[in-house]
């Protein structure tokens, strides 16, 4: 019987609270028979006190010092019995040395949040102004988990079959036009799953959903007077806790269940969930930032410090987490294991991931232990690991990120090449590499085409519509005199800066957007689509909308009607990619005929068949994929021919002949008006002249054999 267990009996007391020496692992607050086990690490603290609050109370109801005998090594651990776990909040006070130049910031007057807290209060409702007089702003709570997953498990879609949709949880449904019951929440996304299925994506990449403070650096806009927030959330308060303000039930403390329900429903509909995670810095900022958690618990362990005690700032956000310290490495590993096992998350995208490969003094490591640990961890074995392979300190590792056979990369070189090519600047030689899954970057390392996450736009930068409408960024609304955001956008406004009524310019912009989508969907690797690009979402030329809770970031669902033709084109291109395994190979092309088809797996052409123009000034290129080589000749597919003309004049292309009585059919021609610009796969019309075609200026044609 439970009462016969010796470990449920207290051995100590403090006032009315019964205590017992706790378990050192796991860290955090964990329910155990009869009570709660509290465990926290600090290598430099001289004492630790558990601070207990009634939920929402301004003053603690009790403070319980950890007896010295409850300390195991550098871990304070204690069981407190008979707690009302659903109605308490907890924190810690740490005492120890306070010497800035030695990197020690202990201050017993501050109440510190548990870095392992699974639920965090204090910002329960999005945008609700907090009580700034509260001495404990971000409050750790105890997770009560009885969620029924109903046999759900991660989907484990092969990487090359993924089509990723990058989205912001709040922005996706915050606009009144979304028509959802609880705008801007996890619950609202569930209502839009039919839309995601119709579009055809099979993975959503959620911008940060960890607990963050939208009021960090909040301020009125000097331009509009609107409140500017920490909107994107790239400033983590708690790595283990979902953001309460993103949950319709956050005010009830049910954000865990709401997010898990979303994951389960997405999985039921064949859609994976990738989390954008930020392990490069925290919300504690620089030397003038707030003390929330890590700084007061063990500043010298958790952050990278200069010899004088200042913070290294490779993140551009004030501090840099000391990720290759063994203690911090374990925090990251524990966090990812938790999300993979307890939330069934399918993968992670690591913000400014190159920081994770720096040593405690900032130098890049040849074999970073954290990246290796994550690559070979048994719990994360089938999770996608995606690196943003650069950081704010100037380290750029696209093509050279320490991958250990596991890591994929946001391919910034793909983005730049496609943007340059469609406006007529990029060399066709580089385009050929990017279309093939960037073998120049990855094949020599034995890394597959799916290493390359192919994107043309992302949350950080122009949308697709703005990329073809603005030559320069227009970030004045951010209140930073247009000095923030990137200047090298490789965009082209097609003849007018911003919105215009000129029908010729608008037609060209529409064609350029379709060119970009078409090229991305026939490229080897993993395509990633930015939320709203499928319906022409604009941010009015602002390429750094990190602070706006407004229509600059929200998805206006009215565009689904206004730009229905673009949506149809994107949807057809996604369907075409999914219908043809030759577009989704696991390995790089060999440039050989190993299937005995009479053609190489990939062949290159120009305006003349078999004769590509690789000259520096060429703006035309075409390629053909042999369907008998699909998936390394393990599957049969149609042949596919793609011709691209980024010249300002129409050009005639001869096209390869087909054998066995087959003919070419036209899947897409971006020079045509809708609905002739694309077709539902399987319904494509036959090409009238099987010898060649006139390719319109700045256009792409995709043919399929049957």
């Amino acid at each position: 019987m439970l009462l016969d267990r010796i470990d449920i009996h207290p051995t100590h007391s403090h006032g009315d609270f019964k205590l017992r020496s706790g378990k050192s692992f796991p860290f955090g607050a964990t329910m155990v028979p009869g009570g709660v086990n509290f465990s926290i690490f600090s290598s430099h603290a001289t004492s630790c006190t558990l601070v207990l609050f009634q939920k929402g109370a301004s003053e603690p109801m009790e403070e319980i010092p950890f007896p010295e005998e409850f300390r195991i090594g550098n871990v304070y651990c204690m069981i407190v019995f008979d707690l009302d776990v659903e109605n308490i909040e907890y924190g810690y006070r740490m005492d120890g040395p306070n010497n800035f130049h030695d990197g020690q910031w202990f201050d017993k007057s501050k109440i510190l949040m548990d870095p392992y807290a699974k639920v965090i209060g204090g910002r329960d409702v999005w945008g609700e102004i907090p009580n700034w007089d509260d001495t404990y702003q971000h409050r750790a709570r105890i997770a009560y988990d009885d969620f029924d997953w109903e046999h759900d498990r991660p989907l484990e879609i092969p990487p090359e079959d993924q089509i990723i949709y990058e989205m912001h949880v709040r922005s996706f449904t915050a606009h009144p036009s979304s028509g959802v019951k609880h705008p801007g929440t996890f619950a609202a996304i569930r209502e839009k799953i039919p839309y995601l299925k119709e579009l055809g994506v099979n993975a959503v990449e959620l911008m940060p959903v960890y607990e963050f403070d939208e009021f960090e650096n909040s301020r009125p806009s000097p331009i509009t007077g609107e409140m500017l927030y920490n909107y994107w959330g790239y400033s983590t308060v708690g790595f283990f806790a979902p953001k309460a303000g993103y949950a319709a039930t956050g005010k009830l403390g049910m954000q865990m269940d709401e997010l898990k329900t979303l994951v389960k429903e997405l999985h039921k509909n064949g859609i994976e969930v990738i989390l954008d995670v930020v392990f490069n810095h925290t919300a504690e900022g620089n030397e003038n930032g707030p003390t929330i958690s890590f700084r007061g618990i063990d500043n010298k362990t958790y952050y990278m410090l200069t010899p004088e005690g200042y913070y290294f700032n490779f993140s551009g956000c004030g501090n840099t987490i000391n990720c290759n310290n063994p203690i911090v490495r374990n925090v990251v590993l524990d966090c990812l294991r938790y999300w993979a096992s307890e939330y069934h998350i399918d993968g992670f995208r690591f913000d400014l991931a190159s920081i994770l490969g720096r040593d405690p003094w900032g130098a890049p490591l040849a074999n970073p232990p954290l990246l290796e640990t994550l690559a070979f961890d048994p719990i994360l074995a089938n999770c996608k690991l995606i690196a943003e392979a650069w950081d704010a300190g100037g380290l750029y590792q696209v093509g050279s990120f320490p991958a250990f056979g596991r890591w994929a990369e946001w391919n910034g070189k793909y983005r730049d090449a496609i943007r340059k090519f469609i406006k007529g600047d990029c060399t066709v030689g580089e385009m050929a590499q990017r279309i093939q899954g960037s073998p120049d970057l990855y094949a020599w390392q034995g890394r597959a085409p799916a290493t390359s996450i192919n994107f043309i736009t992302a949350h950080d930068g122009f949308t697709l519509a703005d990329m073809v409408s603005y030559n320069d960024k227009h970030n004045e609304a951010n209140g930073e005199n247009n000095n923030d955001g990137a200047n090298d956008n490789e965009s082209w406004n097609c003849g007018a800066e911003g919105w215009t009524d000129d029908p010729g310019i608008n037609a060209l912009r529409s064609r350029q957007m379709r060119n970009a989508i078409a090229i991305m969907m026939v490229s080897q690797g993993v395509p990633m689509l930015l939320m709203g690009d499928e319906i022409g979402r604009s941010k009015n030329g602002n390429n750094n909308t990190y602070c706006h809770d407004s229509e600059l970031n929200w998805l206006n669902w009215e565009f689904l009607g206004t730009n229905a033709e673009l949506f149809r084109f994107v949807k057809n291109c996604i369907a075409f990619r999914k219908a043809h395994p030759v577009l989704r190979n696991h390995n790089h092309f060999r440039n050989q005929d190993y299937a005995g088809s009479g053609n190489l797996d990939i062949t290159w052409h120009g305006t003349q068949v078999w004769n590509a123009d690789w000259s520096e000034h060429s703006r035309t290129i075409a390629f053909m994929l042999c369907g008998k080589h699909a998936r390394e000749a393990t599957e049969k597919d149609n042949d596919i021919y793609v011709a691209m003309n980024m010249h300002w004049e129409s050009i005639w292309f001869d096209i390869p002949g087909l054998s066995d009585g087959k003919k070419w059919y036209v899947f897409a021609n971006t020079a045509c008006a809708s609905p002739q610009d694309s077709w539902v796969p399987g319904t494509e019309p036959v090409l009238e002249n099987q010898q060649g075609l006139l390719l319109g200026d700045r256009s792409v044609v995709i043919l399929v054999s049957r």
Side-chain angles (χ1 to χ4, degrees):
M1 295 180 61
L2 183 61
L3 292 177
D4 294 332
R5 292 184 55 157
I6 193 170
D7 61 353
I8 70 159
H9 295 287
T11 59
H12 294 61
S13 64
H14 180 89
D16 295 332
F17 292 87
K18 305 300 181 184
L19 316 173
R20 182 183 181 90
S21 179
K23 307 285 187 183
S24 54
F25 286 105
F27 292 150
T30 309
M31 286 191 286
V32 295
V36 177
N37 185 80
F38 296 92
S39 177
I40 188 167
F41 157 87
S42 178
S43 63
H44 295 97
T46 56
S47 68
C48 179
T49 299
L50 176 67
V51 184
L52 297 175
F53 290 81
Q54 290 285 353
K55 187 176 288 186
S58 59
E59 297 296 329
M61 69 177 184
E62 192 61 77
E63 299 196 21
I64 307 173
F66 282 76
E68 186 60 30
E69 60 267 35
F70 287 8
R71 178 172 177 165
I72 301 174
N74 291 326
V75 178
Y76 296 90
C77 47
M78 174 169 61
I79 296 174
V80 182
F81 291 93
D82 301 323
L83 290 174
D84 182 2
V85 295
E86 295 188 43
N87 291 297
I88 68 164
E89 297 166 330
Y90 71 98
Y92 296 98
R93 296 189 194 272
M94 293 278 184
D95 201 4
N98 190 307
N99 185 323
F100 179 87
H101 295 296
D102 192 39
Q104 305 287 19
W105 286 50
F106 289 100
D107 183 349
K108 197 173 182 179
S109 70
K110 296 184 182 297
I111 303 174
L112 307 170
M113 190 197 75
D114 181 1
Y116 276 77
K118 308 302 189 298
V119 182
I120 298 172
R123 300 293 186 270
D124 297 336
V125 178
W126 174 272
E128 187 175 275
I129 298 175
N131 175 14
W132 296 113
D133 295 326
D134 193 338
T135 58
Y136 187 31
Q137 290 284 318
H138 304 284
R139 299 180 165 220
R141 295 175 180 170
I142 297 168
Y144 188 83
D145 188 9
D146 59 350
F147 187 77
D148 182 4
W149 278 102
E150 298 180 301
H151 309 294
D152 177 79
R153 63 187 305 275
L155 297 182
E156 299 179 7
I157 295 173
E160 61 270 19
D161 291 341
Q162 278 192 308
I163 300 170
I164 300 173
Y165 189 78
E166 191 205 20
M167 60 185 287
H168 184 279
V169 169
R170 180 166 171 77
S171 292
F172 191 53
T173 59
H175 197 278
S177 62
S178 67
V180 296
K181 185 175 182 181
H182 300 288
T185 64
F186 299 127
I189 295 175
R190 289 169 52 199
E191 294 187 51
K192 294 297 187 180
I193 290 177
Y195 172 81
L196 296 172
K197 288 190 69 177
E198 181 184 1
L199 180 59
V201 297
N202 58 15
V204 291
E205 184 175 302
L206 303 180
M207 289 170 65
V209 300
Y210 294 176
E211 189 61 60
F212 65 90
D213 184 3
E214 64 267 30
F215 287 96
E216 180 185 348
N217 297 322
S218 60
R219 62 205 185 275
S221 167
I223 307 299
T224 65
E226 295 180 347
M227 181 64 74
L228 302 180
Y229 297 93
N230 166 28
Y231 184 74
W232 282 350
Y234 287 94
S235 194
T236 307
V237 167
F239 292 103
F240 293 78
K243 178 152 184 62
Y246 280 172
T249 57
K251 58 183 176 293
L252 305 175
M254 296 294 291
Q255 56 265 36
M256 290 178 65
D257 281 9
E258 189 171 322
L259 177 54
K260 289 178 179 180
T261 300
L262 171 61
V263 173
K264 183 169 69 173
E265 291 302 313
L266 286 167
H267 282 175
K268 284 181 180 178
N269 287 276
I271 300 173
E272 291 192 329
V273 180
I274 299 169
L275 297 187
D276 193 338
V277 293
V278 187
F279 292 114
N280 54 75
H281 72 284
T282 75
E284 294 187 302
N286 64 14
E287 294 77 18
N288 300 314
T291 297
I292 298 171
S293 177
F294 293 112
R295 174 177 289 162
I297 292 171
D298 205 331
N299 186 62
K300 198 171 182 177
T301 293
Y302 287 112
Y303 292 112
M304 294 170 59
L305 306 176
T306 70
E308 298 78 23
Y310 293 93
Y311 292 101
F312 278 116
N313 188 19
F314 298 113
S315 66
C317 298
N319 64 55
T320 306
I321 296 179
N322 191 13
C323 281
N324 283 298
N325 176 291
I327 299 298
V328 187
R329 196 159 68 232
N330 285 337
V331 173
V332 176
L333 181 60
D334 290 344
C335 174
L336 297 177
R337 284 175 165 178
Y338 174 74
W339 286 94
S341 58
E342 297 300 318
Y343 283 84
H344 296 197
I345 297 301
D346 301 274
F348 302 93
R349 178 265 186 189
F350 293 76
D351 180 63
L352 300 180
S354 290
I355 286 179
L356 309 184
R358 291 182 182 268
D359 70 15
W361 302 274
L365 294 161
N367 294 291
L370 174 59
L371 302 182
E372 182 180 31
T373 297
L374 299 181
F376 293 103
D377 183 74
I379 295 174
L380 303 176
N382 294 320
C383 282
K384 279 81 174 178
L385 303 177
I386 303 170
E388 183 183 34
W390 53 85
D391 67 23
L395 186 57
Y396 189 81
Q397 295 180 301
V398 172
S400 61
F401 190 81
F404 300 100
R406 284 277 281 118
W407 286 82
E409 299 174 10
W410 265 26
N411 191 344
K413 293 184 177 180
Y414 182 94
R415 172 199 59 204
D416 296 343
I418 306 303
R419 287 186 173 204
K420 290 177 183 178
F421 179 70
I422 66 171
K423 65 174 183 171
D425 288 350
C426 179
T427 65
V428 293
E430 183 175 4
M431 270 297 295
Q433 293 292 330
R434 304 297 156 249
I435 287 170
Q436 293 180 85
S438 296
D440 60 330
L441 301 178
Y442 304 119
W444 65 275
Q445 303 175 67
R447 301 169 72 185
T451 299
S452 179
I453 306 299
N454 298 331
F455 70 105
I456 301 170
T457 57
H459 71 271
D460 191 2
F462 281 149
T463 66
L464 187 61
D466 288 351
M467 186 190 81
V468 300
S469 303
Y470 295 90
N471 284 347
D472 302 298
K473 65 184 183 183
H474 295 269
N475 298 1
E476 291 82 6
N478 299 356
E480 300 180 42
N481 298 315
N482 206 33
N483 292 321
D484 63 303
N487 294 313
D488 52 342
N489 296 288
E490 298 298 347
S491 59
W492 177 42
N493 65 19
C494 298
E497 188 73 357
W499 304 116
T500 177
D501 293 328
D502 187 304
I505 291 175
N506 286 330
L508 176 57
R509 288 175 177 176
S510 174
R511 195 157 70 249
Q512 289 286 72
M513 286 192 285
R514 286 177 288 152
N515 288 340
I517 293 295
I519 292 170
M520 184 167 67
M521 289 302 166
V522 295
S523 296
Q524 302 295 315
V526 180
M528 186 183 81
L529 186 69
L530 173 63
M531 177 192 82
D533 276 354
E534 72 278 11
I535 55 174
R537 168 178 167 245
S538 169
K539 297 191 291 186
N540 296 335
N542 192 321
N543 72 355
N544 189 34
T545 55
Y546 72 97
C547 55
H548 295 281
D549 184 16
S550 69
E551 295 200 21
L552 274 181
N553 273 315
W554 300 342
L555 179 59
N556 186 339
W557 289 85
E558 294 175 0
F559 286 178
L560 185 56
T562 306
N563 295 329
E565 295 175 350
L566 177 60
F567 178 76
R568 175 184 170 276
F569 182 86
V570 176
K571 180 173 68 173
N572 284 346
C573 285
I574 291 174
F576 186 78
R577 180 178 182 84
K578 293 167 79 172
H580 293 288
V582 74
L583 297 171
R584 299 176 280 112
N585 289 311
H586 180 69
N587 293 314
H588 289 284
F589 293 117
R590 303 182 198 175
N591 293 290
Q592 298 174 353
D593 178 14
Y594 53 86
S597 66
N599 284 315
L600 310 184
D601 50 5
I602 182 171
T603 52
W604 293 95
H605 310 270
T607 57
Q608 298 175 330
V609 176
W610 317 109
N611 188 18
D613 180 0
W614 299 109
S615 67
E616 182 179 351
H617 301 293
S618 173
R619 292 180 174 86
T620 59
I621 190 68
F623 65 93
M624 183 175 69
L625 304 180
C626 175
K628 292 183 179 178
H629 290 86
R631 307 272 201 178
E632 293 73 53
T634 62
E635 297 185 32
K636 300 298 182 185
D637 196 4
N638 312 87
D639 297 332
I640 291 174
Y641 171 83
V642 180
M644 295 166 277
N645 173 28
M646 294 304 135
H647 204 276
W648 52 85
E649 295 179 342
S650 299
I651 296 177
W652 179 267
F653 278 68
D654 295 330
I655 58 176
L658 294 169
S659 58
D660 302 326
K662 292 181 178 179
K663 293 184 177 181
W664 289 114
Y665 292 75
V666 183
F667 163 69
N669 186 342
T670 64
C672 294
S674 182
Q676 280 76 36
D677 58 350
S678 68
W679 303 84
V680 174
T683 69
E684 299 94 343
V686 67
L687 179 67
E688 291 184 5
N689 185 344
Q690 292 287 310
Q691 307 302 313
L693 53 86
L694 184 65
L695 206 59
D697 63 288
R698 301 189 189 278
S699 63
V700 175
V701 165
I702 302 172
L703 308 180
V704 59
S705 71
R706 276 204 302 275

